[in-house]
Amino acid sequence: MTGTDASVAQPVSASGQRLATIDILRGLIIVIMVLDHVRDYTHISGFKINPLDFQQTNTILYLTRWVTHLCAPTFIFLAGVSAWLQNVRGKSGAALSGFLLTRGLWLIVLEVTVVGFGWSFALPMPLFLAILWAIGWSMIALSALVWLPRRAVLAIGIAIIGLHDLADGINADPLGLFGGLWHFLFQVNIFKFAGFDILLLYPVLPWIGVIALGYGMGDVFLKPDRNRILTLCGLGLFIGFVLLRLSNLYGDPRPWAVQALPAHTLMDFFNVAKYPPSLLYTAATLGIVFLLTPGLDRLPGKVASILRTFGSVPMMAYLGHLYIMHLVSMAAHMIAGQSLATQFNPLAIAFFNPAAAPDDSFLPLWVTYLCWVITLCLLYPLCHYWSAMKQRRKDWWLSYL
């Protein structure tokens, strides 16, 4: 979901070459993201239970869900990094600002059209304002921030990430005319507008902090000691997460507690808020990603090549996987003789009326993993073809896909 793939600037070095590590990292995140979305469509945890609630889940299901927490912050962080790399390459000032503005608006349009139908396979469909909504508005905000020095943008990003939890106790409902703005910036909302059911799942302000952080840290990816810096940053973030989480003083709206079983205590400890992303959520996820990134340089060549293919055309990978995994899930339900009731407008069922999902419309978790592998196998040729075509051709419209 980055690069001239209609969301952010391409991840290029000062010499104009794409940075392989960024594409590989983004490809890894795409692979993980597909698992989460397949689980939404095949397993009961997409509808009726919270896979992060230790009272409802098990270890494998918990880890299956928790690892996908890495996706959204990494996508948006890399969007900021890639914008900075475009700046280094020479696209600065008005050109970069205009690019970010138009790509941000394009992503918002995609979210409520192509993406919305991919989730739903039915009309009318609910408007699901999620990751592309967040990236789009974050890019629009960054289009203004890029006029500032990089270090100023970095400071703004750190300040937003670190301080926005001060507003956790404020509810939008009593704010009257400002309530809508408060939801837009800070608070999840489910509402109706012009006859549409709308789920605002990604309030934008914390994500603006993440994209600003990526832009501010973009210079790190051009340094010879990049891996050392990322490792130190990752350790700092993760240690900070542990210490602040232990204190239960600040950084997440939901405190943890010691439970009867050690495994349940760990599950409760790491169950931090994503909607919107708390300081502790961002610290834990980006901390892990920073620690993982140096290891991507040592992946076997074939694995790195596959991940790089996914990561080089992230917008096509994102759009394509929605339709492929939805069809794969439908096929799995049909083969298993299960109801297709949850396969049409599933988001409307999951968020607006979960009790309406019939009990015979869910598949075992091992089927989720099988459907995940099948989806990736079907998605890869599409991404490989699209990547090769974008290397051969420079048509203007390709920059939107």
Side-chain angles (χ1 to χ4, degrees), residues 32-92:
I32 296 171
M33 174 195 68
V34 173
L35 173 61
D36 189 40
H37 295 165
V38 171
R39 179 191 59 80
D40 284 335
Y41 278 78
T42 58
H43 192 260
I44 193 171
S45 60
F47 291 87
K48 291 196 171 185
I49 69 171
N50 178 2
L52 297 177
D53 182 349
F54 67 87
Q55 295 179 319
Q56 304 181 62
T57 193
N58 58 61
T59 301
I60 295 175
L61 178 57
Y62 183 94
L63 293 175
T64 299
R65 174 63 179 113
W66 201 97
V67 71
T68 64
H69 273 344
L70 303 180
C71 299
T74 306
F75 278 134
I76 296 180
F77 175 83
L78 290 180
V81 171
S82 298
W84 168 252
L85 294 177
Q86 279 285 320
N87 182 301
V88 171
R89 195 185 184 194
K91 183 183 285 187
S92 57

Side-chain angles (χ1 to χ4, degrees), residues 294-314:
L296 300 178
D297 295 333
R298 298 187 292 273
L299 286 175
K302 185 60 176 177
V303 174
S305 176
I306 291 171
L307 295 178
R308 190 176 183 183
T309 296
F310 284 129
S312 66
V313 287

